[in-house]
Amino acid sequence: MNDHFFISYSRVDGTDFALRLADELVAGQPPYRVWVDQREMRRSRQDWDDQLTEAIQTCDGLVFVMTVDSTRVGSGCKDEWVWALKYKKPVLPLLVARDAQLPFRLGSRQFVDFTVEFERGLAQLRRDLLWLGTPDGQLRELQVRLAE
């Protein structure tokens, strides 16, 4: 595997959550390296979309923050999780807004519910990230990919 988890979120209604999540994942035990556009995008000759693509190609998985805007038709987040699927990366949906809908193509995945309590959702996400690194987690992810 590589060395970071890409956090996909909408800047319209998911920024505060995404940045808090990133801080908690980096600071917690075990610490996880994350890639959040607002912190990792470089001002360079490389286009922003090339940077996003590279970050998705090299990630261990994509954490998809599901809000109303990130799940709407035409959301830029869809491009990100579709690229993750293309590159055979695990996609971990996080339900942040009760009225957000799990996208059809992600329907076979279990989401982590953050709508009740942030700490409870974070604990579940940490368990899921740990499990992804195990042989059982890797086998399950291969089975999901084959089913798609």
Side-chain angles (χ1 to χ4, degrees):
M1 290 208 154
N2 296 295
D3 67 348
H4 68 272
F5 285 91
F6 184 100
I7 299 180
S8 174
Y9 67 99
S10 167
R11 285 193 178 197
V12 172
D13 59 0
T15 301
D16 291 341
F17 178 89
L19 295 176
R20 179 180 179 194
L21 179 68
D23 291 342
E24 293 287 342
L25 289 173
V26 168
Q29 289 299 320
Y32 291 98
R33 187 163 171 251
V34 297
W35 196 99
V36 180
D37 63 348
Q38 290 189 45
R39 296 181 178 167
E40 303 297 330
M41 289 287 245
R42 301 176 304 273
R43 291 184 183 255
S44 68
R45 295 178 190 212
Q46 187 181 21
D47 289 335
W48 68 269
D49 55 336
D50 292 337
Q51 291 182 58
L52 289 173
T53 301
E54 179 183 341
I56 293 169
Q57 286 174 327
T58 61
C59 73
D60 290 334
L62 183 139
V63 176
F64 174 42
V65 177
M66 294 187 340
T67 60
V68 173
D69 192 69
S70 72
T71 58
R72 72 172 166 73
V73 174
S75 170
C77 293
K78 181 177 181 180
D79 294 336
E80 294 170 352
W81 60 257
V82 166
W83 275 102
L85 294 176
K86 176 184 175 188
Y87 293 119
K88 310 296 187 211
K89 303 295 181 174
V91 175
L92 299 109
L94 309 183
L95 183 64
V96 174
R98 291 190 201 289
D99 45 353
Q101 297 289 320
L102 185 65
F104 177 79
R105 287 195 56 203
L106 299 178
S108 64
R109 289 169 168 74
Q110 184 68 33
F111 62 81
V112 178
D113 190 350
F114 275 84
T115 62
V116 176
E117 181 184 347
F118 182 88
E119 289 75 19
R120 185 183 304 167
L122 180 63
Q124 181 62 53
L125 177 60
R126 286 187 164 286
R127 286 190 295 272
D128 291 352
L129 294 176
L130 275 173
W131 184 76
L132 269 179
T134 68
D136 285 343
Q138 293 171 0
L139 178 60
R140 175 66 181 135
E141 190 56 36
L142 288 172
Q143 291 169 334
V144 169
R145 290 179 200 160
L146 281 173
E148 292 175 341

